[in-house]
Amino acid sequence: MDGADYFTVDFGGNVKISAISMALAGYDENDFPDSYALYSSTNGTTFSSSSFVSSSGSTLESKTFSTQAVRAVRIKQTGARKSRNWSINDLDFDCSM
């Protein structure tokens, strides 16, 4: 991880999200980012320049936040540790239409 890795989730239409839950570690207990941030997009292509939530990483991560109206979310790894991998084994959002 070099500080530039990310996952993008496109919901296929506009939704309102208020929480995220990620089970990060898979086969390796160190398989999670040191830190990450969430960025929003209303069109699925262009993402905000500032994050609406950020956190230190852990193997199981749950965050609630003020409701965001989005089409897509980018989960960007913001720390750098080249000796680690990063995968997401389970990803859930609290969302509504």
Side-chain angles (χ1 to χ4, degrees), residues 6 13 15-16 24 39 42 46 52 55 60 69 71 74 83:
Y6 62 86
V15 298
K16 296 177 184 175
L24 298 170
Y39 297 84
T42 56
T46 306
F52 63 89
S55 181
L60 181 59
R71 157 76 190 244
R74 179 162 287 165
S83 63

Side-chain angles (χ1 to χ4, degrees), residues 25-32 58-59 84:
Y27 299 106
D28 180 351
E29 65 186 27
N30 293 310
D31 186 13
F32 62 89
S58 67
T59 57
R84 277 194 183 161

Side-chain angles (χ1 to χ4, degrees), residues 78-91:
T78 57
R81 184 179 287 188
K82 294 185 185 228
S83 63
R84 277 194 183 161
N85 295 315
W86 177 29
S87 60
I88 296 176
N89 294 315
D90 189 38
L91 178 62

Side-chain angles (χ1 to χ4, degrees), residues 30-74:
N30 293 310
D31 186 13
F32 62 89
D34 286 336
S35 56
Y36 69 91
L38 301 180
Y39 297 84
S40 63
S41 172
T42 56
N43 62 14
T45 304
T46 306
F47 288 83
S48 60
S49 59
S50 59
S51 65
F52 63 89
V53 71
S54 60
S55 181
S56 298
S58 67
T59 57
L60 181 59
E61 188 69 26
S62 293
K63 291 286 178 199
T64 58
F65 42 83
S66 60
T67 300
Q68 304 289 314
V70 300
R71 157 76 190 244
V73 172
R74 179 162 287 165

